[in-house]
Amino acid sequence: MDDQGCPRCKTTKYRNPSLKLMVNVCGHTLCENCVDMLFVRGSGNCVQCDTPLRKSNFRVQLFEDPTVDKEVEIRKKVLKIYNKRDVDFSSLREYNDYLEQLEDIVYNLTNNIDVENTKLRMEQYQRENRDIIQRNKAKLTREQEELEELLLLEQQGNEQRRLDVLQEEQRQLQAKRKNKQALLDELEKSQLPATILLAQHKVRAAQLETQIEQQKQAVKPTNLFSTGIHMRQTVSLQPVPKIEEVLYHYKPLHVEIDGPPVPELEQLGRLGYLNHVRAAMPQDTAGGYTSALACHRAIQDAFVKRSL
Amino acid sequence: MFHNSSQRKYWIFSSEDEVEQMRYKANQKFRNKIAESGKPGVSESTFLERHEEDVLFRHYERRLLDFCNAFKPVMPKSVVGTAIMYFRRFYLSNSIMEYHPRIIMLTCAYLSCKVDEFNVSSTQFVGNLLQESPAGQERVLEQILEYELLLIQQLNFHLVVHNPYRPMEGLLIDLKTRYPTLENPESLRKSADDFLTQAAMTDAGLLFPPSQIALTAILNSASRASLSMESYLTECLGLKGDKETLSKMYDSMRRMKTLLKKYELPKAEEVNVYKQKLERIHAEFSTSSNKRKRGYEEDGHVAKEPRITEEEWTDEDLV
């Protein structure tokens, strides 16, 4: 599970499995304790590559390979700038080219190739496409808000249902208790013999039970589908565009033969070829295999067109 | 089927000269590559000549055949045929000096088991290398897996090979059904089989369609047993009136038989001399034999420990 240790204090990671490794922008890891020790002043140099770092840049490592974490961080930053979506492009090819550009940039930054140039390119892109970036940022936030609203609604619905169920249970418990109490009271006060009273009590308890059962089965009528569409509401959607294509016609395989025509599968038995082929065992026929298949294939292969 | 297969489109050549030309080009390409890389102390004599390469090629091909024949569980003939064909095709466009045949030959066998659906696990496969310890077998397996993708690439991803064994079966069935003049076609089977194995060791697979090779095998074994099958050709194969096709067919059969006659077993002393040369070449010029796709480890980041360096295993470690 943990084949890496902290490169500095080495042993501590094995001894303390709950200790987390932190990664930062140069891609090297340090355990929490070492981070605290080295960066007590807030900034310092990385142990392995000596790049100047800040303590705030350390993030808890999520992936086993620290370079993956580094790439994830870089990707997040780049995507903030390169946030065009597929609808912004007029053709699939352009979108793919854009994506490839994006991947090149992320790759370069992750592997420290040509960092200066890449950063220049990014800035240039940012300047050129400022308004598109803004627009997409706004769209993104709107979408997120809508999502959150939906989530909130769902949560509220769940809560409501839970409370309802609890209340139901409470009521049922109370009814049962009342019933028992009533029995005790009657036993005290009434003149009738105890057996009759008990019988009456049993009847009432049974009635209560059936009532509870019925309530459980009564489904609360809703008027909303889960997607939010009201029931009995006719939703007119856009008509699906009809795509007309050429009908497929089956053309049987044409094998060019040099020599006598190969007989059809069905005729092989009649013509006596099958006498010379190993008969199919019961296990083989279960899967649909017949000896004619092997025979046909062998003969076809023998007489297939020779000249090129 | 063969007639719309990649083998017919890309791997059947018109003459032995064309094939020889391709091999010569591969040899030249390697020499130029080394010359360009500017290594000092390289003279023309350190490289292998074409005929020396041929001898070594035949030697390793024979070892491949022996390996496949000694294989447990028993390898079907089509798998052997496919492996030999891969070996041959690979060295059409690559030089022996660049990739050592002993690894390529095992990779060919491994790949052909997979392609021909002859299910052998990788451990079982290297278990057939009886001279190696289990650790040595592991190392061989790693090397095989390294070269597998290269092999597939050099075959241009054309992995389906049509061997002449099935057409031979078909011809035998046809003989038994429609040619009662010949009493016992089964007697032809053994020598036809031998003919086919010998043909696999020549360039016949690269020059003729497999049904042609099968027909030649049958006719050859018939003539060896002094049985006449002329009437089969003319009557049953419907070539009575077609003189041209018939003569063309006889022509190709003659060419094939010449090819088989030209084949000679490599001589042991020659082989040893050339092998020494080859080992020297590989020791000097072997470039990327141990490089492997390392993914994220390109920049010397905190990475996993480097793999244990492999000791080179020699020919004697094979069957």
Side-chain angles (χ1 to χ4, degrees):
Chain A
M1 202 248 318
D2 253 325
D3 50 335
Q4 319 175 287
C6 166
R8 198 166 161 268
C9 55
K10 292 208 203 278
T11 51
T12 318
K13 187 68 172 128
Y14 302 126
R15 272 199 238 141
N16 190 357
S18 67
L19 200 63
K20 292 210 191 304
L21 284 176
M22 316 266 273
V23 196
N24 57 11
V25 293
C26 68
H28 292 134
T29 51
L30 279 175
C31 74
E32 268 182 292
N33 287 350
C34 289
V35 169
D36 287 331
M37 271 197 283
L38 289 173
F39 291 86
V40 69
R41 240 198 280 146
S43 66
N45 288 6
C46 171
V47 174
Q48 281 126 340
C49 63
D50 228 17
T51 33
L53 297 168
R54 272 180 252 159
K55 186 173 178 184
S56 52
N57 283 338
F58 272 99
R59 262 164 265 283
V60 177
Q61 187 179 0
L62 295 165
F63 300 95
E64 206 177 288
D65 190 350
T67 27
V68 176
D69 260 304
K70 177 178 173 191
E71 191 188 327
V72 165
E73 288 295 324
I74 291 181
R75 197 177 279 272
K76 266 194 246 175
K77 279 194 228 144
V78 174
L79 276 176
K80 276 212 195 101
I81 303 181
Y82 282 79
N83 61 357
K84 279 199 197 155
R85 293 190 296 175
D86 51 353
V87 295
D88 291 326
F89 293 94
S90 49
S91 77
L92 183 62
R93 179 74 206 221
E94 281 179 41
Y95 183 51
N96 286 337
D97 286 339
Y98 166 80
L99 287 177
E100 193 176 334
Q101 236 184 352
L102 181 71
E103 290 299 326
D104 276 336
I105 291 185
V106 172
Y107 181 81
N108 284 352
L109 288 176
T110 315
N111 298 341
N112 298 335
I113 302 170
D114 216 11
V115 180
E116 294 298 324
N117 257 346
T118 318
K119 291 223 168 112
L120 278 172
R121 260 196 288 161
M122 276 172 63
E123 281 173 34
Q124 193 184 22
Y125 175 85
Q126 193 172 12
R127 261 176 283 143
E128 286 169 11
N129 297 309
R130 192 165 302 173
D131 43 341
I132 304 185
I133 295 175
Q134 288 288 61
R135 191 161 33 107
N136 280 339
K137 242 194 254 185
K139 256 196 247 173
L140 210 59
T141 44
R142 235 185 299 138
E143 274 179 8
Q144 276 176 331
E145 278 173 31
E146 285 173 21
L147 262 174
E148 294 206 7
E149 274 178 42
L150 279 172
L151 278 171
L152 205 60
L153 276 172
E154 227 184 281
Q155 259 184 337
Q156 283 175 344
N158 282 345
E159 270 302 310
Q160 196 62 29
R161 257 175 278 149
R162 210 168 51 86
L163 285 170
D164 285 338
V165 169
L166 270 173
Q167 280 179 351
E168 251 322 294
E169 281 183 23
Q170 294 283 26
R171 257 180 273 143
Q172 285 166 6
L173 270 171
Q174 276 184 348
K176 279 203 194 134
R177 250 184 266 140
K178 264 197 231 150
N179 200 10
K180 283 206 192 116
Q181 199 59 30
L183 172 66
L184 288 172
D185 289 338
E186 291 221 357
L187 280 173
E188 273 186 39
K189 290 182 274 180
S190 143
Q191 310 290 337
L192 300 165
T195 41
I196 301 187
L197 281 175
L198 276 172
Q200 275 181 348
H201 168 82
K202 267 214 195 94
V203 167
R204 250 177 303 167
Q207 275 177 345
L208 250 180
E209 284 294 322
T210 43
Q211 223 182 11
I212 294 173
E213 285 299 317
Q214 274 173 355
Q215 255 187 338
K216 270 204 207 140
Q217 284 170 359
V219 173
K220 227 183 4 174
T222 51
N223 55 356
L224 268 184
F225 280 115
S226 60
T227 48
I229 305 177
H230 285 274
M231 283 201 196
R232 276 165 253 140
Q233 177 191 35
T234 45
V235 182
S236 60
L237 301 161
Q238 243 187 347
V240 178
K242 210 162 171 221
I243 308 174
E244 284 277 348
E245 291 216 10
V246 178
L247 269 182
Y248 173 73
H249 284 286
Y250 169 66
K251 292 198 198 80
L253 176 68
H254 172 65
V255 183
E256 297 182 350
I257 301 285
D258 241 354
V262 177
E264 298 292 318
L265 251 178
E266 298 79 28
Q267 295 171 339
L268 279 174
R270 196 165 47 85
L271 294 168
Y273 283 92
L274 293 181
N275 301 339
H276 308 292
V277 187
R278 187 180 55 165
M281 293 194 286
Q283 297 149 297
D284 302 328
T285 47
Y289 173 81
T290 57
S291 52
L293 281 166
C295 186
H296 188 253
R297 192 153 178 217
I299 298 193
Q300 203 172 47
D301 258 353
F303 292 131
V304 89
K305 194 168 168 62
R306 259 180 284 279
S307 51
L308 302 159
Chain B
M1 291 290 101
F2 176 72
H3 82 291
N4 55 2
S5 68
S6 61
Q7 183 175 350
R8 179 163 171 241
K9 281 189 220 153
Y10 304 107
W11 293 101
I12 300 278
F13 304 102
S14 47
S15 68
E16 294 92 2
D17 294 325
E18 197 180 328
V19 173
E20 180 55 37
Q21 188 70 355
M22 287 183 74
R23 294 200 177 118
Y24 180 73
K25 259 198 257 178
N27 189 316
Q28 285 298 106
K29 197 170 75 158
F30 181 74
R31 287 174 187 238
N32 294 341
K33 193 170 99 162
I34 296 297
E36 272 167 32
S37 73
K39 263 218 165 158
V42 162
S43 72
E44 281 302 307
S45 62
T46 42
F47 293 123
L48 286 172
E49 296 293 325
R50 274 296 306 131
H51 65 275
E52 299 170 359
E53 272 192 351
D54 261 345
V55 169
L56 280 178
F57 179 80
R58 264 177 275 146
H59 169 74
Y60 278 105
E61 199 178 27
R62 205 130 267 273
R63 297 199 71 162
L64 175 60
L65 190 63
D66 295 335
F67 175 72
C68 292
N69 287 336
F71 200 82
K72 290 187 186 29
V74 176
M75 221 188 239
K77 282 191 292 220
S78 60
V79 178
V80 182
T82 314
I84 298 183
M85 179 59 89
Y86 284 164
F87 193 61
R88 197 169 279 281
R89 284 188 193 176
F90 182 80
Y91 281 116
L92 268 189
S93 42
N94 297 288
S95 161
I96 296 191
M97 300 187 270
E98 194 166 359
Y99 303 106
H100 201 293
R102 70 167 113 81
I103 309 170
I104 297 289
M105 102 188 190
L106 290 176
T107 316
C108 286
Y110 186 65
L111 183 63
S112 107
C113 287
K114 280 201 220 172
V115 166
D116 236 13
E117 299 183 357
F118 173 60
N119 193 348
V120 174
S121 75
S122 53
T123 17
Q124 219 178 346
F125 186 86
V126 289
N128 275 291
L129 293 167
L130 300 167
Q131 251 85 331
E132 292 264 358
S133 64
Q137 288 173 351
E138 272 289 313
R139 279 200 301 257
V140 173
L141 182 62
E142 277 177 4
Q143 283 190 308
I144 292 180
L145 293 177
E146 245 188 77
Y147 280 95
E148 191 178 359
L149 194 55
L150 171 74
L151 174 66
I152 299 180
Q153 202 176 25
Q154 293 300 320
L155 293 173
N156 212 355
F157 298 91
H158 296 140
L159 295 175
V160 174
V161 167
H162 292 266
N163 287 303
Y165 303 107
R166 210 186 290 125
M168 187 186 82
E169 300 284 341
L171 281 172
L172 283 174
I173 296 173
D174 195 54
L175 278 174
K176 289 180 209 169
T177 319
R178 292 194 309 150
Y179 195 57
T181 330
L182 192 62
E183 273 115 36
N184 190 7
E186 274 300 313
S187 57
L188 300 174
R189 185 186 283 264
K190 176 85 182 38
S191 62
D193 247 347
D194 291 333
F195 185 93
L196 287 181
T197 325
Q198 270 197 306
M201 312 286 279
T202 67
D203 281 337
L206 292 171
L207 298 167
F208 303 105
S211 51
Q212 183 81 17
I213 305 180
L215 187 59
T216 315
I218 299 265
L219 288 176
N220 188 330
S221 67
S223 67
R224 257 181 220 249
S226 326
L227 298 162
S228 165
M229 287 186 43
E230 296 293 326
S231 46
Y232 179 65
L233 281 177
T234 44
E235 305 285 339
C236 296
L237 293 187
L239 289 173
K240 201 191 316 208
D242 201 349
K243 282 273 157 40
E244 202 191 305
T245 330
L246 199 60
S247 67
K248 258 198 259 180
M249 205 158 66
Y250 277 127
D251 202 28
S252 343
M253 292 205 268
R254 234 171 289 138
R255 275 169 69 194
M256 216 188 298
K257 287 192 207 159
T258 335
L259 266 181
L260 257 87
K261 281 212 197 77
K262 274 204 293 192
Y263 179 81
E264 40 182 61
L265 264 181
K267 301 193 197 65
E269 329 82 50
E270 276 184 4
V271 167
N272 278 331
V273 168
Y274 301 148
K275 241 204 259 186
Q276 301 269 4
K277 246 179 137 177
L278 184 67
E279 298 295 338
R280 239 178 288 141
I281 294 176
H282 268 272
E284 267 195 65
F285 302 128
S286 162
T287 43
S288 59
S289 51
N290 280 336
K291 214 198 283 181
R292 214 164 309 189
K293 288 260 150 83
R294 296 224 177 207
Y296 284 112
E297 299 175 22
E298 281 126 34
D299 294 329
H301 287 261
V302 175
K304 310 189 178 110
E305 258 109 55
R307 291 182 200 270
I308 310 162
T309 45
E310 299 151 10
E311 299 137 25
E312 285 298 319
W313 47 283
T314 61
D315 272 356
E316 282 69 47
D317 301 332
L318 298 173
V319 167

